[in-house]
Every structure is written in C-alpha cells, then in structure tokens.
Amino acid sequence: MCKDSNGNVLQDGDAVTLTQDLKVKGTSVNLKRGTLIKNIRITDNPEEIECHAEKVKNLVLKTKFLKKH
C-alpha cells in the first residue's frame, strides 16, 4: 500500500503535490515545491511512484516528498 507524506493512501491516477524542491538526476530540471503532478502510477515498491512532470518522462519519485491533492 502506497502512502504520501501525511499517511493518505495513493492510487493509480491520483494527483499529488511536491512538498519540497527536488533536483532531477541526469537533467537540468528542478521541480519546485507545490508542483502539481497528475495521473500517477503505483510501482511494486510502496515508497515510490511513477509519473510525468515538466518535460521529464518516466520520472520515479519517493512518496515521502508528496502530498495527495
């Protein structure tokens, strides 16, 4: 079961917001705090989700940096 930083259960297709600024490895993109990410996908690892954000495809984010929208 995948949960956000507040303990809310995440499901495929949910929208989440970043709780802090994140640098994306391998790119020059910085994702800012408060960025809305739509249509997430749950992975086999309960601490990670897959998504698309700001010109970055197939991005994997840790759930501890997310808040359900």
Side-chain angles (χ1 to χ4, degrees):
M1 186 179 316
C2 199
K3 294 185 179 184
D4 71 357
S5 61
N6 294 331
N8 297 319
V9 177
L10 297 172
Q11 298 177 354
D12 283 342
D14 281 348
V16 294
T17 305
L18 294 179
T19 58
Q20 69 182 52
D21 293 351
L22 298 174
K23 289 185 179 181
V24 180
K25 287 184 181 178
T27 70
S28 61
V29 175
N30 288 327
L31 297 176
K32 300 289 183 188
R33 179 180 174 203
T35 300
L36 179 64
I37 298 173
K38 298 178 182 177
N39 206 16
I40 66 168
R41 289 179 306 282
I42 305 302
T43 63
D44 293 335
N45 184 344
E47 295 180 5
E48 296 178 344
I49 57 120
E50 290 182 353
C51 61
H52 298 300
E54 290 184 21
K55 305 174 188 171
V56 182
K57 305 276 189 210
N58 300 326
L59 184 62
V60 176
L61 296 174
K62 298 278 188 183
T63 57
K64 66 182 177 181
F65 302 123
L66 305 173
K67 178 174 69 170
K68 190 171 182 177
H69 191 43

